[in-house]
Amino acid sequence: MNDIDRQARIHQLQNRRHALLQRREQRGAPVASIDMELNVVRSELQALYEVGRLQPPHRAAPTPPPQLA
């Protein structure tokens, strides 16, 4: 998964999480099933954030090694 796909998936999951939280607040909402789905969304978001932290930063050009005198 490249960084653009990862960011798009994060955006989708954040939107899903927001919708679930709003639905959870409605009267008569199936709270237990919404909570289970929220846990799945949170887990996937955490995994995607961790992948982003582990990836090295992108560079336009490689940095040459330092010259030894």
Side-chain angles (χ1 to χ4, degrees), residues 1 3 6-7 9-15 17 41-55:
M1 173 179 280
D3 192 52
R6 188 178 66 82
Q7 290 295 329
R9 184 63 179 151
I10 287 171
H11 184 71
Q12 289 173 341
L13 289 168
Q14 287 172 336
N15 287 341
R17 181 178 174 273
V41 169
R42 286 183 191 122
S43 295
E44 189 173 347
L45 277 170
Q46 287 174 340
L48 289 169
Y49 292 145
E50 185 64 24
V51 166
R53 281 192 289 271
L54 296 176
Q55 289 179 346

